[in-house]
Amino acid sequence: MKFVVDAMLGDVARWLRILGYDTLYSKDFKDWEIERVARSEDRVIITRDVGLYRRARRKGLRAVLIEPGSIEDDLLTIALRTGIEIRFKPSRTRCPHCNTELVIIPKAEALSLVPSHIGTRYDTFWKCPKCGRVYWQGSHWRTINSIIDSVNRRLPSTY
Ligand SMILES: [Zn+2]
C-alpha cells in the first residue's frame, strides 16, 4: 500500500516512511496534485482536510481523514482504515527525508560516516542511497518503540 500525505501532516509522512511505506509528501502539495498522484500511482490519500477528503471520495479515490490528535491517534486511525501493520522492519524501512528505501551498511563503513561516539555505541546503520543521510536507532527510538507498542495495544486483538 502506497500513500500521499497532505501538507499539514509531515509527521505522519515521516512515520509511514520509517515503517516502510512508500509515501509522497511535500509542504507545497496542492490538493489537485494530491488527487492526481493518488489516481495515477494508486496511492491512499492521508489528510486532515475535510474538503479534500470529501472531494477525493466523490472521485472514487481512497482517502483517510485524520482528526486532530497525537501521532499515536493518527497511526491508529490509518491502521484501522487501511489495514496496514504498524511495525518497524529493519530490512524495509525508508528514508524519512526523501522516501527512498534505506540500505543497511557495514559497521566499518558507518564508522567513517558518523561521529565516533555514535559509531561505537550502535551496531546497525542505514544509509539512504539517494540523499546520503545515515541513520541509527538513537535515543529517540525509545519513544518510537513506545508509540508503536501503544498503537498495537489499542488495535483490536483480531487485527
Ligand atoms: Zn534520503
Side-chain angles (χ1 to χ4, degrees):
M1 189 168 290
K2 297 183 292 183
F3 298 96
V4 55
V5 171
D6 87 24
M8 291 183 282
L9 295 170
D11 274 4
V12 170
R14 280 188 293 279
W15 262 92
L16 288 171
R17 288 169 175 174
I18 290 170
L19 297 173
Y21 296 101
D22 181 344
T23 303
L24 294 186
Y25 169 79
S26 163
K27 288 198 299 294
D28 304 320
F29 267 157
K30 304 285 184 292
D31 287 0
W32 65 268
E33 290 173 301
I34 291 176
E35 289 171 23
R36 190 174 66 179
V37 78
R39 183 172 306 284
S40 66
E41 299 183 10
D42 193 23
R43 291 177 182 272
V44 178
I45 297 170
I46 309 290
T47 183
R48 195 158 262 169
D49 177 340
V50 182
L52 170 60
Y53 172 76
R54 291 200 179 128
R55 261 194 323 278
R57 296 299 306 257
R58 263 201 308 275
K59 292 175 182 171
L61 300 169
R62 285 186 294 170
V64 176
L65 180 66
I66 301 283
E67 307 284 341
S70 65
I71 186 69
E72 198 184 300
D73 297 331
D74 297 348
L75 294 172
L76 184 68
T77 302
I78 295 167
L80 289 170
R81 299 283 150 74
T82 67
I84 64 163
E85 275 192 306
I86 305 296
R87 292 195 198 288
F88 178 71
K89 300 185 182 96
S91 61
R92 47 160 295 193
T93 185
R94 285 173 177 261
C95 180
H97 181 75
C98 77
N99 192 39
T100 305
E101 281 187 68
L102 295 180
V103 181
I104 294 177
I105 55 171
K107 181 150 176 160
E109 184 183 346
L111 285 170
S112 69
L113 298 169
V114 300
S116 59
H117 69 281
I118 299 292
T120 49
R121 173 147 15 138
Y122 299 99
D123 288 321
T124 308
F125 293 88
W126 293 261
K127 188 176 175 188
C128 175
K130 190 170 171 202
C131 74
R133 284 174 169 78
V134 177
Y135 299 96
W136 58 93
Q137 291 179 300
S139 52
H140 62 292
W141 266 89
R142 234 172 284 163
T143 313
I144 291 178
N145 281 327
S146 80
I147 289 172
I148 290 173
D149 287 349
S150 156
V151 171
N152 282 291
R153 273 199 304 274
R154 289 167 65 189
L155 284 168
S157 56
T158 53
Y159 193 75

